[in-house]
């Protein structure tokens, strides 16, 4: 698990179109790692939600707590 760098308002990555996550990807080790990293990052930044593009991943995925 890792804390990832969060893109701030105005960063070009936040304007890119995201791709959908496939059924096969959902249970992959890489996607599980991304979700764990996003949760750790969200907690570290004191947030209640985080979208994948905010951690420089252009996929349609968000974590909310």
């Amino acid at each position: 698990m890792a804390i990832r760098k969060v893109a701030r308002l105005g960063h070009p990555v936040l304007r890119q179109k995201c791709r959908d996550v496939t059924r096969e990807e959902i249970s992959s080790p890489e996607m599980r790692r991304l979700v764990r990293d996003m949760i750790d990052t969200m907690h570290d930044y004191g947030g209640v939600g985080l979208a994948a593009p905010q951690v420089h991943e252009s996929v349609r995925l968000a974590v909310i707590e």
Side-chain angles (χ1 to χ4, degrees), residues 16-22 25 31 57-61:
Q16 293 176 356
K17 184 172 180 171
C18 296
R19 66 175 179 79
D20 291 332
V21 177
T22 65
E25 282 181 295
M31 192 60 63
E57 295 287 340
S58 291
V59 294
R60 288 187 182 187
L61 175 69

Side-chain angles (χ1 to χ4, degrees), residues 3-65:
I3 306 300
R4 295 189 177 209
K5 185 174 180 182
V6 174
R8 301 293 182 181
L9 185 64
H11 194 286
V13 74
L14 300 176
R15 295 184 181 265
Q16 293 176 356
K17 184 172 180 171
C18 296
R19 66 175 179 79
D20 291 332
V21 177
T22 65
R23 287 182 188 258
E24 295 78 26
E25 282 181 295
I26 290 172
S27 60
S28 71
E30 294 83 13
M31 192 60 63
R32 289 177 185 217
R33 187 175 318 111
L34 174 58
V35 170
R36 283 193 309 265
D37 288 354
M38 288 175 63
I39 291 169
D40 289 344
T41 302
M42 178 182 64
H43 289 160
D44 189 65
Y45 278 81
V48 295
L50 186 68
Q54 290 176 282
V55 291
H56 304 270
E57 295 287 340
S58 291
V59 294
R60 288 187 182 187
L61 175 69
V63 294
I64 301 169
E65 189 172 68

